[in-house]
Amino acid sequence: MTMQDTDKALFEAAEAVRARAYAPYSKFQVGAAILADDGKIYAGCNVENAAYPVGNCAEPSAIAAMLAGGGKRIRRIYVTGPGATPVTPCGGCRQRIREFADLDVEVVSHGVDGAPLVQTLGQLLPHSFGPEFLGK
C-alpha cells in the first residue's frame, strides 16, 4: 500500500469515527486513526462529559482501541476535525502518542476544509520525555 493509499484509508477511518464523536458541549468533533505495528487501522473519537475534564480526546481513544485490538506501536496517526486549520493533537495527547510512537512517526493533522499538515512527533513534541528515561 502506498503512503497515499494509507493516508486515504486513515482519513476515511478518522472521518467515519468523527461523525460519531460525542461533543455536545464544544460542538468540536475530532476523529483519529492509527496505523499500528500489526498493520491494522484503529480509530477513536472525542467523548465529552459535563464534568470537565473527565472526557477523552480522539487520540487516546484511538490508542485504547489499538491496545485492545492487539497493536502495540503507532506507525502513523491521522487526526481530523472541522474547519480549514489543521487540527493538531493537544499537549496531553502529544505525550500520550509519545508513549506508543517513535519520534520519527508522522502525525497528519487535518482540518477537513483545508490542507493536511504532516509533521513528525519529534517536531510536534521537541525535547520530549519518554518511557526510555525510566529504564523501560
Side-chain angles (χ1 to χ4, degrees):
M1 189 181 312
T2 68
M3 189 58 67
Q4 187 175 9
D5 291 337
T6 298
D7 279 354
K8 183 177 186 293
L10 288 168
F11 174 79
E12 289 172 356
E15 279 295 279
V17 75
R18 182 169 80 96
R20 295 188 295 272
Y22 180 73
Y25 308 106
S26 72
K27 310 285 191 248
F28 196 86
Q29 294 178 295
V30 179
I34 290 170
L35 175 63
D37 56 346
D38 62 1
K40 296 178 185 173
I41 291 176
Y42 299 95
C45 59
N46 57 322
V47 180
E48 295 179 348
N49 190 290
Y52 286 115
V54 177
N56 285 336
C57 292
E59 298 88 341
S61 294
I63 290 169
M66 176 188 76
L67 294 170
K72 296 193 180 1
R73 300 292 295 167
I74 297 169
R75 296 292 176 235
R76 190 171 186 84
I77 184 167
Y78 205 115
V79 181
T80 62
T85 303
V87 177
T88 59
C90 72
C93 287
R94 292 174 193 203
Q95 187 63 47
R96 287 177 178 96
I97 294 166
R98 172 71 165 88
E99 187 74 16
F100 299 98
D102 296 331
L103 292 172
D104 63 348
V105 166
E106 289 183 326
V107 178
V108 183
S109 305
H110 197 171
V112 296
D113 295 328
L117 171 68
V118 180
Q119 294 182 298
T120 65
L121 180 57
Q123 290 171 309
L124 281 173
L125 192 63
H127 312 289
S128 65
F129 185 84
E132 68 276 10
F133 288 94
L134 299 174
K136 191 173 178 193

